[in-house]
Structures are given as C-alpha cells and as structure tokens.
Amino acid sequence: LLSVILLVTLLGTIMYIVEGLSANNPGFQDIPNSIYWSIVTLTTVGYGTVVPTTILGKIIASIIISIVTAAHWGWLKSMVKL
C-alpha cells in the first residue's frame, strides 16, 4: 500500500510540474488534482476529465498506461492460465 501511495504521489507531482506549471493545464492546477489523475490512470478508469496537453505530458501518460496495461495482462494471464 505504501508503494502505491508513493507511486501516485510521485507521478502526480511529475505531471503537475510538466502540465500544471509549464502548460497551465486546468486539470493539473495543483498536486492533489494531479494525484487524482494519477490514481484514475493507474486504475485504468480513465474518466477523460483530466488529460495532458503537452507532448511530454502525453509521452509520460502513455508510458504509465502501457506499464499498467502490461501489469494487468500479466495478472490476468496468471489467473486464467492461458
């Protein structure tokens, strides 16, 4: 649980720096809102209410989503025994 809390805090802070400070993206206006985006992205809910607008933000988000998707597929594969 501590590792998840640290991960969402780190990712939220990185996205706040990339999107909130440099691009003035209203969805990343402060660190708590950026942590919200991180939680929604890591759980693959993806409401679409907060999205990165800079190229660097989109690249970071794509990497995060790819890692989470791979982890979910690995977990599913181990559960189903394909």
Side-chain angles (χ1 to χ4, degrees), residues 25-65:
N25 187 334
F28 296 93
Q29 63 208 20
D30 52 26
I31 291 178
N33 281 322
S34 300
I35 290 173
Y36 163 78
W37 173 86
S38 179
I39 292 168
V40 169
T41 301
L42 287 175
T43 58
T44 67
V45 175
Y47 294 123
T49 55
V50 179
V51 294
T53 56
T54 64
I55 297 296
L56 182 58
K58 290 177 182 181
I59 290 170
I60 293 169
S62 297
I63 292 169
I64 294 167
I65 292 168

Side-chain angles (χ1 to χ4, degrees), residues 64-75:
I64 294 167
I65 292 168
S66 298
I67 291 170
V68 170
T69 302
H72 282 273
W73 273 107
W75 174 81

Side-chain angles (χ1 to χ4, degrees), residues 2-40:
L2 180 61
S3 61
V4 173
I5 292 170
L6 291 173
L7 182 64
V8 297
T9 303
L10 176 68
L11 294 174
T13 303
I14 290 170
M15 290 303 285
Y16 167 71
I17 292 168
V18 171
E19 290 289 324
L21 293 179
S22 62
N24 290 325
N25 187 334
F28 296 93
Q29 63 208 20
D30 52 26
I31 291 178
N33 281 322
S34 300
I35 290 173
Y36 163 78
W37 173 86
S38 179
I39 292 168
V40 169

